[in-house]
Amino acid sequence: MQDLRLTELMFKSLKQDSNLATAEDWEAAGDYAKLIRFFPHAFNCYRNALDLSKTEELAKKVDDTLEKLTNVLQFVPKNCKDMVEEFRFNNPLDPSEWLKVINELLKTSTDESNIEAIRFAFGMGIYCAVRSGLDVSPMNKNLIPFLEAQEEDESQLKFNKLSLDGVKKIVTIGDNVTLGLQNNWEIKEEETFHQLWKNSLSDPNSIEFANNAISGAGILDAVLYVGRDVILHKPDLVILNYGINDVWLGPDALLGFEVLLEYLIKFLKLNSIKLLLVGPVPHIPSACPEQQKPNAKVDMKDLRMEPWDKICKQVALRNKIPYADTSSKFPLLEEQRKKFFANGFNQPNREGHMLIKAAIEEVIS
């Protein structure tokens, strides 16, 4: 669906001025934002509508949307759970809170039983700090000794195959690519790589799909909302795809990305969920319009997708899960690659999604 008027109003809600529209329009914009899973915008729209028209229905929409936003970090390593519980409802993205967790964990123990929690806290701290524009080089330096040092042979990825035996329900999580976002905020979910792949199966109706991707999301969002977007749905298989938004944080976020992606994958595997990691789409940052750049301060040379793709491959290898090598399907030359993007730089059109589908088909056993 596409509605430019509601899209414009959805973004105006960030000004938190309810007088910019009628209660009916705010509610419609909230419904639209909720449909495309822009929950912060939906919350602002519903709240503006409630300011102008105090109805029970609007109050419920405000409460329901607030729950989607605040029900975060339900699943964290047990060694840091009590500490995280103290601030996850207030400000789970406060870098200083994560620094406190890191320091407390390091004081407690650096034994193997504590390392998972240490890595996780570092990953969250780095991500939150980078998003706040803070220098994270000391945190990255201190995290390195806790990471896997050995580099895996990428040629071994071909042996990690996905079996669909027993798969009745699939949840897809990711960003605007997985969501199916096109030009002018139009969503074409039926043309996404996962729907195209599902429709090519011999009995597509035998598998239930839930697309819980969020435009603009990164790996941090996946970790924050894994309870809401994955566990609640009890899937047999999760298809995940991140990186195209994470890259705009710059190379300082790479180690944080690695830690959080690996934690998420290990957590889902422990819940007996099959996994398929889809590699990040090789975007064309130089073609991104100035007004749409998530971070105008990042140097273009630091926006290459290769380092993020490499991390995804290493995480897939270490955890022995199938990896759909998206980057291998898109043309190497940017000018040839542009025709596979609806917006010319990072939102695949149907032909682009067909390339991702082809990468998935290569890892199906």
Side-chain angles (χ1 to χ4, degrees), residues 154-169:
E154 291 183 6
S155 68
Q156 299 303 301
L157 279 171
K158 62 187 176 185
F159 297 112
N160 295 336
K161 299 293 185 180
L162 173 65
S163 169
L164 295 180
D165 290 344
V167 173
K168 299 297 182 183
K169 186 167 188 178

Side-chain angles (χ1 to χ4, degrees), residues 78-80 83 100-115 117-118 146:
K78 65 178 183 179
N79 285 25
C80 66
M83 288 179 275
K100 292 177 188 176
V101 175
I102 293 167
N103 290 331
E104 193 62 35
L105 289 169
L106 291 174
K107 282 193 298 182
T108 303
S109 168
T110 55
D111 292 343
E112 185 65 33
S113 62
N114 219 29
I115 285 181
I118 291 171
F146 298 99

Side-chain angles (χ1 to χ4, degrees), residues 10-78:
M10 178 180 76
F11 283 105
K12 280 185 179 179
S13 72
L14 300 179
K15 296 180 179 179
Q16 298 185 0
D17 182 355
S18 59
N19 294 316
L20 292 174
T22 65
E24 292 77 13
D25 281 346
W26 281 127
E27 184 176 9
D31 292 343
Y32 178 71
K34 181 181 177 182
L35 181 65
I36 62 175
R37 296 175 58 79
F38 270 42
F39 294 123
H41 300 75
F43 175 70
N44 286 329
C45 288
Y46 289 144
R47 191 170 54 177
N48 284 345
L50 187 62
D51 283 344
L52 299 173
S53 177
K54 299 190 182 302
T55 67
E56 186 175 334
E57 182 183 356
L58 280 172
K60 187 177 187 308
K61 286 185 175 183
V62 169
D63 290 343
D64 289 347
T65 312
L66 182 60
E67 183 179 0
K68 290 182 183 298
L69 291 169
T70 56
N71 195 10
V72 301
L73 288 174
Q74 296 166 280
F75 302 101
V76 301
K78 65 178 183 179

Side-chain angles (χ1 to χ4, degrees), residues 81 137 215 262 317 341:
K81 189 170 182 61
S137 50
S215 183
E262 186 141 32
L317 282 163
F341 293 105

Side-chain angles (χ1 to χ4, degrees), residues 173-354:
I173 56 174
D175 47 44
N176 44 292
V177 174
T178 306
L179 181 64
L181 194 67
Q182 298 291 310
N183 281 335
N184 298 321
W185 301 96
E186 183 179 7
I187 295 175
K188 293 184 177 179
E189 189 173 351
E190 71 281 1
E191 294 186 4
T192 55
F193 62 87
H194 43 91
Q195 287 298 315
L196 292 168
W197 170 62
K198 176 195 174 185
N199 293 337
S200 70
L201 298 176
S202 57
D203 187 9
N205 294 326
S206 66
I207 299 179
E208 181 183 352
F209 263 68
N211 185 3
N212 288 339
I214 302 173
S215 183
I219 193 61
L220 179 66
D221 303 274
V223 172
L224 286 173
Y225 299 113
V226 64
R228 180 193 75 189
D229 292 343
V230 179
I231 300 301
L232 181 66
H233 297 265
K234 299 180 180 179
D236 304 301
L237 167 67
V238 169
I239 300 174
L240 59 159
N241 168 238
Y242 291 98
I244 206 166
N245 292 309
D246 303 88
V247 68
W248 287 91
L249 293 173
D252 284 345
L254 274 166
L255 291 185
F257 178 83
E258 179 177 357
V259 166
L260 296 183
L261 176 63
E262 186 141 32
Y263 171 76
L264 181 65
I265 285 172
K266 285 181 175 179
F267 169 74
L268 294 175
K269 285 187 71 177
L270 284 173
N271 280 270
S272 301
I273 298 172
K274 292 184 178 183
L275 293 161
L276 169 59
L277 180 57
V278 177
V281 171
H283 67 161
I284 309 173
S286 60
C288 179
E290 197 67 33
Q291 68 274 16
Q292 293 185 34
K293 290 180 179 177
N295 184 355
K297 296 179 181 179
V298 178
D299 194 310
M300 282 294 165
K301 66 179 176 58
D302 291 329
L303 292 171
R304 295 180 306 110
M305 197 58 76
E306 287 86 351
W308 304 81
D309 185 44
K310 183 177 181 63
I311 282 176
C312 290
K313 288 176 178 174
Q314 289 295 309
V315 170
L317 282 163
R318 288 198 294 265
N319 293 278
K320 296 180 172 55
I321 64 169
Y323 185 75
D325 191 359
T326 300
S327 62
S328 68
K329 297 300 179 184
F330 282 78
L332 185 62
L333 297 178
E334 289 187 351
E335 279 305 313
Q336 296 177 5
R337 206 185 308 156
K338 281 184 180 179
K339 68 179 182 180
F340 294 100
F341 293 105
N343 60 356
F345 70 95
N346 78 342
Q347 291 171 194
N349 51 27
R350 190 180 190 281
E351 290 71 24
H353 279 282
M354 287 294 290

